[in-house]
Amino acid sequence: MSAYIAQACTIVHKLIDAGHHISDDDLLLAITAGLPHFYDPFLVSIDTLSDSEYTLELIIP
């Protein structure tokens, strides 16, 4: 999982370096959308979070 997240972050940094704006929400969406189905319980649990709780620091410790 850490390699998957690191790869997504690397891609985001490359996009930012190329001049694109990538928000934390965009990164979280990309990471969670690419998870295998056995992470569905985790995805359901984060759906219960308020917008202020749905942060990179909480989802990716």
Side-chain angles (χ1 to χ4, degrees):
M1 176 55 72
S2 60
Y4 170 73
I5 292 170
Q7 183 179 22
C9 291
T10 298
I11 292 169
V12 166
H13 289 294
K14 287 180 180 183
L15 288 169
I16 291 170
D17 289 345
H20 297 280
H21 173 72
I22 307 296
S23 69
D24 287 352
D25 286 341
D26 292 335
L27 176 57
L28 286 170
L29 179 62
I31 289 171
T32 57
L35 291 174
H37 288 292
F38 59 85
Y39 281 95
D40 286 351
F42 169 70
L43 297 175
V44 169
S45 72
I46 64 174
D47 280 342
T48 64
L49 299 174
S50 68
D51 288 344
S52 63
E53 294 174 310
Y54 188 69
T55 62
L56 277 176
E57 292 79 22
L58 179 68
I59 305 302
I60 307 170

